[in-house]
């Protein structure tokens, strides 16, 4: 079991779009195993490749006791809206009301290259969107607007100067 350390805000890998997975090989299976081990730690709902320093389009999730992964995700089927507090392992201690779609369909592959479709609602939909954002070099705070965004950016600067 390998629980990898989480990269924190300021690490360039978090702001760089991840590379598409082209080889479904033993190396990818090791990354998936590490992602799933890492997301099993208490209080974690998802971990994306870049968060463990791997610039590949793959993430793991742990929602309602179900641990899984998705390689090369593409999101569609967006419906509804939900606003709830959202946080990020790469921005520890910060959480802000974030609006996301309430329903999303994620299509991609498992670690062996077999097609996989995950239909998410509620918290699972939020996690799928959050982790896919990581693969695009985005953090949840990038979706914030107005006063909430200004507050988040101030707090991020404060945390970074410690």
């Amino acid at each position: 079991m390998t629980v990898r350390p989480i990269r924190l805000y300021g690490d360039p890998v978090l702001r760089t779009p991840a590379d598409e997975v082209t080889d479904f090989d033993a190396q990818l299976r090791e990354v998936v195993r590490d992602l799933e081990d890492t997301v099993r730690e208490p209080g974690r709902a998802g971990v994306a490749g870049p968060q463990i320093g791997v610039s590949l389009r793959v993430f793991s999730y742990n929602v309602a006791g179900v641990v899984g992964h998705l390689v090369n995700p593409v999101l569609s089927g967006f419906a509804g809206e939900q606003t709830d507090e959202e946080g990020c392992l790469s921005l520890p201690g910060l959480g802000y009301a974030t609006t996301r779609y309430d329903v999303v369909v994620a299509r991609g592959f498992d670690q062996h290259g077999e097609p996989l479709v995950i239909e998410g609602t509620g918290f699972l939909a939020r996690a799928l969107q959050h982790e896919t954002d990581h693969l695009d070099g985005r953090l949840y705070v990038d979706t914030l607007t107005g006063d909430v965004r200004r507050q988040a950016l101030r707090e991020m600067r404060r945390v970074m100067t410690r």
Side-chain angles (χ1 to χ4, degrees):
M1 182 165 147
T2 303
V3 175
R4 296 222 201 157
I6 299 295
R7 300 292 180 99
L8 299 178
Y9 177 74
D11 189 318
V13 73
L14 297 173
R15 291 303 200 168
T16 304
D19 298 324
E20 187 168 331
V21 172
T22 56
D23 295 321
F24 292 82
D25 56 10
Q27 184 177 2
L28 174 65
R29 288 188 293 282
E30 181 180 340
V31 169
V32 168
R33 199 167 32 254
D34 290 353
L35 282 166
E36 290 185 348
D37 288 347
T38 303
V39 82
R40 281 187 175 95
E41 290 290 293
R44 296 182 175 181
V47 177
Q51 288 184 285
I52 62 168
V54 176
S55 190
L56 290 176
R57 293 189 67 78
V58 57
F59 65 77
S60 61
Y61 60 90
N62 183 358
V63 176
V66 176
V67 174
H69 68 276
L70 192 59
V71 178
N72 295 337
V74 175
L75 303 182
S76 63
F78 304 104
E81 199 174 83
Q82 59 171 307
T83 300
D84 204 349
E85 184 161 309
E86 192 164 325
C88 180
L89 297 171
S90 295
L91 293 164
L94 303 180
Y96 299 95
T98 305
T99 300
R100 298 279 191 179
Y101 290 106
D102 192 47
V103 177
V104 67
V105 177
R107 288 180 169 76
F109 302 92
D110 70 10
Q111 62 187 320
H112 304 287
E114 296 297 320
L116 188 59
V117 177
I118 303 169
E119 297 178 11
T121 61
F123 189 71
L124 179 56
R126 176 176 295 279
L128 294 170
Q129 292 167 83
H130 181 110
E131 299 311 322
T132 300
D133 279 352
H134 275 299
L135 303 181
D136 295 331
R138 292 172 38 102
L139 299 171
Y140 83 98
V141 292
D142 298 330
T143 69
L144 303 176
T145 60
D147 289 340
V148 174
R149 180 171 173 78
R150 283 188 287 282
Q151 177 187 356
L153 294 175
R154 270 194 310 274
E155 188 64 20
M156 288 165 59
R157 279 191 297 275
R158 187 184 67 74
V159 168
M160 289 299 297
T161 58
R162 284 185 184 170

